[in-house]
Amino acid sequence: MADQTTTSAQSAEADKGYWQANVRIILISLVIWALVSFGFGILLRPMLSGISVGGTDLGFWFAQQGSILVFLALIFFYAFRMNKLDREFGVEEE
């Protein structure tokens, strides 16, 4: 009986660790996305206006294309990181 209690406690601790790591990855991704899309595209646009990228200023580029490209990169980063995390905790798909 004590063995089952220990096993369930270890399982609960592993589940908690898994979800903490998952939420940490999500929060980091959201902060990066918000910084790039809202920060560089809107708030920091006047400071980035002197830097030219592809014939337009860097702030406009971030607002129009940069945030989309960063979002796509974050999707691939999240998928890669979650697959690694799934393998670490033994919950990967077969």
Side-chain angles (χ1 to χ4, degrees):
M1 187 66 141
D3 191 34
Q4 280 184 330
T5 305
T6 305
T7 304
S8 66
Q10 289 173 345
S11 177
E13 188 66 32
D15 289 346
K16 184 178 178 182
Y18 176 80
W19 285 108
Q20 284 178 342
N22 185 5
V23 169
R24 184 174 44 244
I25 294 168
I26 290 171
L27 288 176
I28 289 169
S29 297
L30 286 174
V31 166
I32 291 170
W33 187 32
L35 179 67
V36 169
S37 63
F38 187 70
F40 291 159
I42 297 172
L43 296 177
L44 299 176
R45 184 164 185 247
M47 291 191 304
L48 299 173
S49 65
I51 303 169
S52 179
V53 172
T56 186
D57 67 89
L58 187 60
F60 180 78
W61 184 85
F62 269 116
Q64 295 302 312
Q65 296 170 346
S67 60
I68 295 169
L69 294 175
V70 170
F71 179 67
L72 289 173
L74 284 173
I75 290 172
F76 287 107
F77 165 76
Y78 180 76
F80 169 77
R81 207 43 201 109
M82 284 307 298
N83 286 334
K84 185 177 176 184
L85 189 67
D86 288 349
R87 282 191 301 275
E88 287 176 16
F89 284 90
V91 294
E92 70 272 8
E93 296 178 5
E94 295 180 13

